[in-house]
Amino acid sequence: MDFDFSAILLALTVLFGVVWGLDRLMLYRKRKARFEAAAEEYRDPAAVDWARSLFPVIFVVLLLRSFVAEPFRIPSGSMMPTLDVGDFILVNKFAYGLRLPAFNNKVVGLGEPKRGDVVVFRFPGYICQDDNGRTVRSGDMTCADTHAPVPGQNWIKRVIGLPGDTIEVHDSQIVINGKPVVDTQIGSFKGNPARPEDNELLYYNATVWSEQLGPVNHLIARMPARGPTPPVPNARVPSVVPPNCYLVMGDDRENSEDSRWWGCLPEQNLVGKAFMIWFSWKGWGTGSVDFHRIGTVIH
């Protein structure tokens, strides 16, 4: 089962607020009068005391996570070498507008993603055609079950194509509106063979490149020997990015399940913009805390 912390925070905020509010409106005065009549020191019932104490704390946490910044942990190597497995990042929740917690509906528009942004989003599912020929999103990659539920997961990728862009992708070569993306090989990937995510890149003789996406210069990893990736356009991705949609890709280009596989990212699935690594844990015996990555601004 997917763990939706925002939904849990919202539910607890409502629960504690209702318990505390109803008690103050309906029960508090009579209870206090009984204590005064018995000449006893007043005290709230345990449930009300907990609700009164926890409601403001959880409410503030909910506001901060929903509208300011939210922490996330990188679980996979799809964004290497920019983001590593075990990096803990902060995500700007108001970069692309204020959204209701849990429901993610935008209530105030403050900006739109730019080419090169690293974005966190709710996985939208795979684009499929149902029995009636309608385009739907499914949790089944093969589209054999077009009604398969889409996992409620947060993913992270880099914005490559904006609405209206004409995009071509062949392996790691990207062409945007007729102009090839400029990239320069830096050298071979250097890593720790004891870490599975590093070992794969080393096994396939990965190379590291500097890529320029608009004003954003960042690193990508390439390992063509790992096997081909879907080109763009393909059955799920047209050559022109649809309105209110974005084409996103991982920086580990041959090891990223991204828009090439499941289609464009709908605007309503955006969560926020990743902007800083606040902690990095490489694992016991394979680097432990990586102090050099702490405080790194994400480009």
Side-chain angles (χ1 to χ4, degrees):
M1 183 172 63
D2 298 309
F3 182 77
D4 192 333
F5 192 60
S6 294
I8 293 174
L9 277 178
L10 179 61
L12 289 175
T13 301
V14 172
L15 174 63
F16 292 148
V18 168
V19 170
W20 184 27
L22 289 179
D23 178 77
R24 284 302 184 263
L25 288 173
M26 302 174 62
L27 303 174
Y28 169 72
R29 293 180 181 178
K30 292 182 179 180
R31 185 171 60 247
K32 185 176 181 181
R34 290 198 303 270
F35 274 89
E36 290 176 348
E40 296 178 1
E41 182 180 357
Y42 174 80
R43 61 183 181 278
D44 282 324
V48 175
D49 187 52
W50 275 97
R52 176 179 56 81
S53 300
L54 292 177
F55 171 77
V57 176
I58 295 179
F59 181 61
V60 169
V61 173
L62 177 66
L63 290 178
L64 291 175
R65 284 177 57 97
S66 300
F67 303 122
V68 182
E70 182 173 0
F72 288 92
R73 179 183 180 276
I74 302 300
S76 75
S78 70
M79 283 297 292
M80 292 176 69
T82 303
L83 297 174
D84 203 351
V85 176
D87 282 347
F88 291 78
I89 65 170
L90 289 176
V91 174
N92 183 339
K93 297 297 291 287
F94 58 85
Y96 308 133
L98 300 181
R99 298 174 184 269
L100 294 176
F103 300 99
N104 210 41
N105 300 99
K106 183 188 287 188
V107 291
V108 179
L110 297 175
E112 301 295 338
K114 297 178 177 62
R115 199 184 324 279
D117 284 1
V118 176
V119 297
V120 171
F121 55 93
R122 300 290 284 180
F123 175 55
Y126 302 93
I127 290 180
C128 301
Q129 301 293 321
D130 67 10
D131 295 336
N132 298 316
R134 294 174 302 186
T135 299
V136 297
R137 294 276 186 168
S138 170
D140 180 4
M141 177 188 289
T142 68
C143 292
D145 180 5
T146 56
H147 301 291
V150 177
Q153 300 170 338
N154 287 313
W155 287 27
I156 184 167
K157 305 293 179 188
R158 187 179 298 275
V159 175
I160 305 296
L162 305 176
D165 281 345
T166 298
I167 305 291
E168 294 180 34
V169 180
H170 302 283
D171 294 324
S172 292
Q173 183 59 55
I174 302 171
V175 179
I176 302 175
N177 298 323
K179 296 181 180 180
V181 170
V182 176
D183 49 28
T184 306
Q185 184 172 344
I186 295 175
S188 299
F189 174 80
K190 309 294 183 183
N192 183 350
R195 301 182 72 231
E197 47 275 359
D198 286 8
N199 187 57
E200 181 177 36
L201 288 159
L202 293 169
Y203 178 81
Y204 287 109
N205 298 314
T207 51
V208 178
W209 296 65
S210 172
E211 182 178 80
Q212 189 76 37
L213 281 174
V216 179
N217 185 274
H218 65 102
L219 299 179
I220 63 170
R222 291 181 176 176
M223 42 181 172
R226 190 178 188 271
T229 54
V232 175
N234 63 48
R236 287 188 167 114
V237 188
S239 58
V240 178
V241 182
N244 300 314
C245 241
Y246 299 88
L247 190 141
V248 297
M249 295 171 61
D251 288 348
D252 189 352
R253 290 293 158 78
E254 278 72 36
N255 185 31
S256 172
E257 186 179 321
D258 48 42
S259 284
R260 294 170 291 178
W261 301 87
W262 41 260
C264 69
L265 166 65
E267 189 277 338
Q268 63 265 28
N269 286 63
L270 288 168
V271 172
K273 178 182 178 181
F275 69 93
M276 189 181 73
I277 300 171
W278 63 272
F279 188 70
S280 184
W281 173 253
K282 292 292 185 66
W284 293 111
T286 55
S288 301
V289 178
D290 189 343
F291 291 99
H292 291 91
R293 296 182 67 82
I294 296 176
T296 300
V297 176
I298 299 171
H299 296 293

